Amino acid sequence: MRHTAKVAAAILLLASVAPAGAQAPPGTVSWGGPYVGLSLGGEWGQLPGAVNVAPTAAGAVPGSAAVPGTTRHLNGGTQASITGGGQAGYNYQIDNFVLGVEGDFRGGGPSTTTTAPGGLANFPTGSNFKASSDWNASIRGRLGYAWNQFLFYGTGGVAFANANLKSNFAPSTTAGGAALPGSSTSASTTLMGPTYGGGIEYAVSPAISVAGEYRYTDYGHDTVNLGSTATTGAGGAVATAPATGKIGLRENTVLLKVNYRFGAPLPPPPPMPAAMPAPPPPAAPRVFIVFFDWDKDTITPEGQQIVQQAADAYKSGAPVQIQVTGYTDRSGSAAYNQRLSERRANNVAKAMTALGVPQNQMIVSGRGENDNRVPTAAGVREPQNRRVEITAQ
């Protein structure tokens, strides 16, 4: 059987669905690009046809006549079967519209057996004929509309399937008493015809989708040669006659498909954790200075006000530790000045304690005539050096 016209029609169909370019889709799911997948489903179809045995010629014996040919039609009832295989395709997406091509190949197909009734010429009782198909394929265009994670599409193109016809002629006896041997022959052909349908595809993730699809296919029919079979000839003699078969296939198919799309955009990476803010710089130490009269360790009224400010600062919660350090000027001996600075520091600490500052929160010390605020020569009475510094930090 020549399929040139049908192949040309299939090529024109596929060319009509291939756009010149593609754009990125507006939504979160991109249907564009190549994909591959697996399918599993069911088929229910018919295998119409017939088996024909040609007539035999009349013999030379007076009174003999030709034996007419006989045709036995195959059972055209609907048969169901399981089918499964794979598919591959390519989609272009322009806004919400998806155009593409897809090819698939599946195993499985319907099968039916017809038994010849008794008394039918050329088909002895017990003869039977089996028609079957065990693979099919298609190449199709697809046109769809994307909506959120769904793709609604129609599909159509050309499909191919093999068709097998096996004949089993049972042995019998001719009208003249001659024995007819049984015979068995088979033939196969490839059918081609249009297929069309539609489906719904759902994107489980950016790269994986599942689809449900229905298609109807009419593969047409073809004639096959079944060789020769023994039959009754003129005058009841044994003769042979050529046998031919005609077989076709029509079927409905429902499929569940799973596809993996290459190049689909990956989900965005999780956001980087926010950087921890830098700790604030430590607060600058606050220094309160209590000045003393020459050679005195008692706190003046002005000095008491400074002590009050320092105590209030502590109670506000700002400081964590207080340093109370006493100093003197450079008049007098160094040993005397050291003892005087310690008395001044202790007196300020006692005043702080009286104002609510715990003693264990203070470090009390004396530095004598060291660390002068105003550098002087020995023996100089400098008021800025006669002090106690309260440092809150």
Side-chain angles (χ1 to χ4, degrees), residues 145-188:
Y145 183 84
W147 179 72
N148 292 337
Q149 293 174 270
F150 291 90
L151 175 63
F152 302 88
Y153 66 90
T155 182
V158 62
F160 309 84
N162 78 321
N164 309 305
L165 181 58
K166 183 176 183 180
S167 61
N168 295 300
F169 292 94
S172 64
T173 303
T174 70
L180 286 173
S183 63
S184 178
T185 61
S186 62
S188 298

Short mmCIF file of all heavy atoms in Angstrom, two decimals, residues 145-188:
data_model
loop_
_atom_site.label_atom_id
_atom_site.label_comp_id
_atom_site.label_asym_id
_atom_site.label_seq_id
_atom_site.Cartn_x
_atom_site.Cartn_y
_atom_site.Cartn_z
N TYR A 145 -3.92 26.38 25.32
CA TYR A 145 -4.07 27.65 26.04
C TYR A 145 -3.67 27.41 27.48
O TYR A 145 -4.21 26.51 28.15
CB TYR A 145 -5.51 28.16 25.97
CG TYR A 145 -5.68 29.52 26.64
CD1 TYR A 145 -5.39 30.69 25.95
CD2 TYR A 145 -6.12 29.61 27.96
CE1 TYR A 145 -5.54 31.93 26.55
CE2 TYR A 145 -6.27 30.85 28.56
CZ TYR A 145 -5.98 32.01 27.86
OH TYR A 145 -6.11 33.23 28.46
N ALA A 146 -2.69 28.20 27.96
CA ALA A 146 -2.19 28.05 29.33
C ALA A 146 -2.97 28.95 30.27
O ALA A 146 -3.18 30.13 29.98
CB ALA A 146 -0.70 28.40 29.38
N TRP A 147 -3.39 28.38 31.39
CA TRP A 147 -4.13 29.13 32.41
C TRP A 147 -3.63 28.68 33.78
O TRP A 147 -3.82 27.54 34.17
CB TRP A 147 -5.63 28.88 32.28
CG TRP A 147 -6.45 29.61 33.31
CD1 TRP A 147 -6.70 30.95 33.38
CD2 TRP A 147 -7.14 29.01 34.41
NE1 TRP A 147 -7.49 31.22 34.46
CE2 TRP A 147 -7.79 30.06 35.12
CE3 TRP A 147 -7.28 27.70 34.87
CZ2 TRP A 147 -8.54 29.82 36.26
CZ3 TRP A 147 -8.03 27.46 36.01
CH2 TRP A 147 -8.66 28.52 36.69
N ASN A 148 -2.93 29.60 34.46
CA ASN A 148 -2.27 29.25 35.73
C ASN A 148 -1.37 28.04 35.51
O ASN A 148 -0.49 28.08 34.65
CB ASN A 148 -3.30 29.03 36.83
CG ASN A 148 -4.01 30.31 37.22
OD1 ASN A 148 -3.49 31.40 37.01
ND2 ASN A 148 -5.20 30.19 37.78
N GLN A 149 -1.58 26.95 36.24
CA GLN A 149 -0.74 25.76 36.08
C GLN A 149 -1.33 24.74 35.11
O GLN A 149 -0.81 23.64 34.98
CB GLN A 149 -0.51 25.10 37.44
CG GLN A 149 0.35 25.95 38.38
CD GLN A 149 0.45 25.34 39.76
OE1 GLN A 149 -0.35 25.61 40.65
NE2 GLN A 149 1.44 24.49 39.95
N PHE A 150 -2.40 25.11 34.41
CA PHE A 150 -3.07 24.18 33.51
C PHE A 150 -2.78 24.54 32.05
O PHE A 150 -2.60 25.72 31.71
CB PHE A 150 -4.58 24.19 33.73
CG PHE A 150 -5.01 23.61 35.04
CD1 PHE A 150 -5.14 24.41 36.17
CD2 PHE A 150 -5.27 22.25 35.16
CE1 PHE A 150 -5.54 23.88 37.38
CE2 PHE A 150 -5.67 21.71 36.38
CZ PHE A 150 -5.81 22.53 37.49
N LEU A 151 -2.75 23.52 31.20
CA LEU A 151 -2.67 23.70 29.76
C LEU A 151 -3.79 22.88 29.13
O LEU A 151 -3.83 21.65 29.25
CB LEU A 151 -1.31 23.22 29.23
CG LEU A 151 -1.15 23.26 27.71
CD1 LEU A 151 -1.24 24.69 27.20
CD2 LEU A 151 0.16 22.61 27.28
N PHE A 152 -4.73 23.56 28.47
CA PHE A 152 -5.82 22.90 27.75
C PHE A 152 -5.42 22.87 26.27
O PHE A 152 -5.10 23.91 25.68
CB PHE A 152 -7.12 23.68 27.93
CG PHE A 152 -7.53 23.85 29.36
CD1 PHE A 152 -7.07 24.93 30.11
CD2 PHE A 152 -8.36 22.93 29.98
CE1 PHE A 152 -7.43 25.10 31.43
CE2 PHE A 152 -8.74 23.09 31.30
CZ PHE A 152 -8.27 24.18 32.04
N TYR A 153 -5.45 21.69 25.66
CA TYR A 153 -4.92 21.59 24.30
C TYR A 153 -5.74 20.63 23.45
O TYR A 153 -6.40 19.72 23.93
CB TYR A 153 -3.45 21.14 24.31
CG TYR A 153 -3.22 19.74 24.82
CD1 TYR A 153 -3.24 18.65 23.95
CD2 TYR A 153 -2.99 19.49 26.17
CE1 TYR A 153 -3.02 17.36 24.41
CE2 TYR A 153 -2.78 18.22 26.64
CZ TYR A 153 -2.80 17.15 25.76
OH TYR A 153 -2.59 15.87 26.23
N GLY A 154 -5.67 20.89 22.15
CA GLY A 154 -6.16 19.97 21.14
C GLY A 154 -4.97 19.44 20.36
O GLY A 154 -3.92 20.09 20.28
N THR A 155 -5.14 18.26 19.77
CA THR A 155 -4.02 17.65 19.06
C THR A 155 -4.54 16.90 17.84
O THR A 155 -5.67 16.38 17.84
CB THR A 155 -3.23 16.69 19.97
OG1 THR A 155 -2.11 16.16 19.25
CG2 THR A 155 -4.08 15.55 20.49
N GLY A 156 -3.74 16.87 16.78
CA GLY A 156 -4.13 16.15 15.58
C GLY A 156 -2.93 15.89 14.69
O GLY A 156 -1.97 16.67 14.69
N GLY A 157 -2.99 14.82 13.95
CA GLY A 157 -1.88 14.48 13.06
C GLY A 157 -2.12 13.15 12.39
O GLY A 157 -3.26 12.78 12.09
N VAL A 158 -1.05 12.43 12.16
CA VAL A 158 -1.12 11.15 11.47
C VAL A 158 -0.61 10.06 12.40
O VAL A 158 0.33 10.28 13.18
CB VAL A 158 -0.30 11.19 10.16
CG1 VAL A 158 1.16 11.45 10.42
CG2 VAL A 158 -0.48 9.91 9.36
N ALA A 159 -1.26 8.89 12.34
CA ALA A 159 -0.91 7.77 13.22
C ALA A 159 -0.60 6.53 12.37
O ALA A 159 -1.09 6.37 11.25
CB ALA A 159 -2.04 7.47 14.19
N PHE A 160 0.21 5.67 12.95
CA PHE A 160 0.63 4.43 12.29
C PHE A 160 0.36 3.27 13.25
O PHE A 160 0.49 3.42 14.47
CB PHE A 160 2.13 4.45 11.97
CG PHE A 160 2.57 5.68 11.24
CD1 PHE A 160 2.89 6.84 11.93
CD2 PHE A 160 2.69 5.67 9.86
CE1 PHE A 160 3.30 7.97 11.26
CE2 PHE A 160 3.10 6.80 9.18
CZ PHE A 160 3.41 7.97 9.88
N ALA A 161 0.02 2.10 12.72
CA ALA A 161 -0.17 0.89 13.54
C ALA A 161 0.07 -0.33 12.67
O ALA A 161 -0.19 -0.31 11.44
CB ALA A 161 -1.57 0.85 14.13
N ASN A 162 0.58 -1.38 13.28
CA ASN A 162 0.69 -2.63 12.53
C ASN A 162 -0.62 -3.40 12.66
O ASN A 162 -1.36 -3.25 13.63
CB ASN A 162 1.88 -3.46 13.01
CG ASN A 162 1.56 -4.19 14.30
OD1 ASN A 162 0.91 -3.65 15.18
ND2 ASN A 162 2.06 -5.41 14.44
N ALA A 163 -0.91 -4.19 11.66
CA ALA A 163 -2.10 -5.04 11.66
C ALA A 163 -1.68 -6.43 11.19
O ALA A 163 -1.02 -6.58 10.16
CB ALA A 163 -3.18 -4.47 10.75
N ASN A 164 -2.06 -7.43 11.97
CA ASN A 164 -1.69 -8.82 11.68
C ASN A 164 -2.96 -9.62 11.38
O ASN A 164 -3.97 -9.47 12.07
CB ASN A 164 -0.97 -9.45 12.87
CG ASN A 164 0.19 -8.59 13.36
OD1 ASN A 164 1.07 -8.23 12.59
ND2 ASN A 164 0.16 -8.23 14.64
N LEU A 165 -2.88 -10.49 10.39
CA LEU A 165 -4.01 -11.36 10.06
C LEU A 165 -3.47 -12.78 9.89
O LEU A 165 -2.61 -13.03 9.06
CB LEU A 165 -4.70 -10.91 8.76
CG LEU A 165 -5.91 -11.73 8.32
CD1 LEU A 165 -6.99 -11.74 9.39
CD2 LEU A 165 -6.47 -11.16 7.01
N LYS A 166 -4.01 -13.70 10.68
CA LYS A 166 -3.59 -15.10 10.62
C LYS A 166 -4.80 -15.96 10.29
O LYS A 166 -5.85 -15.85 10.94
CB LYS A 166 -2.98 -15.53 11.95
CG LYS A 166 -2.46 -16.96 11.92
CD LYS A 166 -1.76 -17.32 13.23
CE LYS A 166 -1.18 -18.72 13.17
NZ LYS A 166 -0.49 -19.11 14.43
N SER A 167 -4.65 -16.84 9.30
CA SER A 167 -5.75 -17.73 8.90
C SER A 167 -5.37 -19.17 9.21
O SER A 167 -4.26 -19.61 8.92
CB SER A 167 -6.04 -17.58 7.40
OG SER A 167 -4.89 -17.93 6.64
N ASN A 168 -6.30 -19.88 9.79
CA ASN A 168 -6.13 -21.31 10.09
C ASN A 168 -7.27 -22.08 9.41
O ASN A 168 -8.42 -22.04 9.86
CB ASN A 168 -6.17 -21.55 11.60
CG ASN A 168 -5.01 -20.89 12.32
OD1 ASN A 168 -3.86 -21.19 12.04
ND2 ASN A 168 -5.32 -19.96 13.23
N PHE A 169 -6.94 -22.74 8.27
CA PHE A 169 -7.94 -23.55 7.56
C PHE A 169 -7.88 -24.98 8.09
O PHE A 169 -6.83 -25.63 8.04
CB PHE A 169 -7.66 -23.55 6.06
CG PHE A 169 -7.88 -22.21 5.41
CD1 PHE A 169 -6.81 -21.33 5.24
CD2 PHE A 169 -9.14 -21.83 4.98
CE1 PHE A 169 -7.00 -20.11 4.64
CE2 PHE A 169 -9.33 -20.60 4.37
CZ PHE A 169 -8.26 -19.72 4.21
N ALA A 170 -9.01 -25.47 8.61
CA ALA A 170 -9.05 -26.82 9.18
C ALA A 170 -9.06 -27.87 8.06
O ALA A 170 -9.55 -27.61 6.94
CB ALA A 170 -10.29 -26.98 10.06
N PRO A 171 -8.53 -29.07 8.30
CA PRO A 171 -8.60 -30.16 7.29
C PRO A 171 -10.05 -30.61 7.10
O PRO A 171 -10.87 -30.51 8.02
CB PRO A 171 -7.73 -31.25 7.90
CG PRO A 171 -7.72 -30.98 9.36
CD PRO A 171 -7.83 -29.49 9.52
N SER A 172 -10.36 -31.14 5.91
CA SER A 172 -11.73 -31.60 5.62
C SER A 172 -11.69 -32.62 4.47
O SER A 172 -10.61 -32.99 4.00
CB SER A 172 -12.64 -30.43 5.26
OG SER A 172 -12.19 -29.81 4.07
N THR A 173 -12.85 -33.00 3.97
CA THR A 173 -12.98 -33.96 2.86
C THR A 173 -13.78 -33.32 1.74
O THR A 173 -14.81 -32.67 2.00
CB THR A 173 -13.68 -35.24 3.34
OG1 THR A 173 -12.94 -35.79 4.44
CG2 THR A 173 -13.76 -36.27 2.20
N THR A 174 -13.35 -33.49 0.50
CA THR A 174 -14.07 -32.93 -0.63
C THR A 174 -15.35 -33.71 -0.89
O THR A 174 -15.56 -34.80 -0.34
CB THR A 174 -13.20 -32.94 -1.89
OG1 THR A 174 -13.05 -34.30 -2.32
CG2 THR A 174 -11.83 -32.35 -1.64
N ALA A 175 -16.18 -33.13 -1.76
CA ALA A 175 -17.42 -33.82 -2.13
C ALA A 175 -17.15 -35.15 -2.80
O ALA A 175 -17.96 -36.09 -2.76
CB ALA A 175 -18.26 -32.92 -3.05
N GLY A 176 -15.98 -35.28 -3.42
CA GLY A 176 -15.63 -36.53 -4.08
C GLY A 176 -14.94 -37.51 -3.15
O GLY A 176 -14.47 -38.56 -3.59
N GLY A 177 -14.82 -37.17 -1.88
CA GLY A 177 -14.21 -38.07 -0.90
C GLY A 177 -12.72 -37.87 -0.71
O GLY A 177 -12.09 -38.61 0.06
N ALA A 178 -12.13 -36.90 -1.41
CA ALA A 178 -10.68 -36.67 -1.25
C ALA A 178 -10.42 -35.85 0.01
O ALA A 178 -11.21 -35.00 0.40
CB ALA A 178 -10.13 -35.94 -2.48
N ALA A 179 -9.29 -36.15 0.66
CA ALA A 179 -8.94 -35.45 1.90
C ALA A 179 -8.29 -34.11 1.58
O ALA A 179 -7.38 -34.03 0.74
CB ALA A 179 -8.00 -36.29 2.75
N LEU A 180 -8.75 -33.04 2.27
CA LEU A 180 -8.16 -31.71 2.14
C LEU A 180 -7.27 -31.44 3.36
O LEU A 180 -7.76 -31.47 4.50
CB LEU A 180 -9.25 -30.63 2.07
CG LEU A 180 -10.03 -30.53 0.76
CD1 LEU A 180 -11.17 -29.54 0.91
CD2 LEU A 180 -9.10 -30.08 -0.36
N PRO A 181 -5.98 -31.23 3.17
CA PRO A 181 -5.13 -30.94 4.34
C PRO A 181 -5.42 -29.54 4.89
O PRO A 181 -5.84 -28.64 4.17
CB PRO A 181 -3.72 -31.03 3.75
CG PRO A 181 -3.89 -30.63 2.32
CD PRO A 181 -5.24 -31.16 1.91
N GLY A 182 -5.20 -29.39 6.15
CA GLY A 182 -5.32 -28.07 6.77
C GLY A 182 -4.11 -27.20 6.42
O GLY A 182 -3.06 -27.70 6.01
N SER A 183 -4.25 -25.91 6.62
CA SER A 183 -3.13 -24.99 6.35
C SER A 183 -3.26 -23.77 7.25
O SER A 183 -4.35 -23.44 7.75
CB SER A 183 -3.14 -24.55 4.88
OG SER A 183 -4.31 -23.84 4.57
N SER A 184 -2.13 -23.11 7.45
CA SER A 184 -2.10 -21.90 8.30
C SER A 184 -1.17 -20.89 7.65
O SER A 184 -0.01 -21.22 7.35
CB SER A 184 -1.62 -22.23 9.71
OG SER A 184 -1.56 -21.06 10.50
N THR A 185 -1.64 -19.69 7.43
CA THR A 185 -0.83 -18.62 6.85
C THR A 185 -1.08 -17.33 7.62
O THR A 185 -2.11 -17.17 8.29
CB THR A 185 -1.16 -18.40 5.37
OG1 THR A 185 -2.54 -18.02 5.25
CG2 THR A 185 -0.89 -19.64 4.55
N SER A 186 -0.14 -16.40 7.52
CA SER A 186 -0.31 -15.11 8.19
C SER A 186 0.36 -14.03 7.37
O SER A 186 1.26 -14.30 6.56
CB SER A 186 0.27 -15.14 9.60
OG SER A 186 1.66 -15.40 9.56
N ALA A 187 -0.04 -12.81 7.62
CA ALA A 187 0.53 -11.65 6.93
C ALA A 187 0.35 -10.43 7.82
O ALA A 187 -0.55 -10.37 8.68
CB ALA A 187 -0.13 -11.43 5.58
N SER A 188 1.25 -9.47 7.62
CA SER A 188 1.18 -8.23 8.40
C SER A 188 1.30 -7.04 7.47
O SER A 188 1.86 -7.13 6.37
CB SER A 188 2.31 -8.18 9.43
OG SER A 188 2.21 -9.21 10.37
#
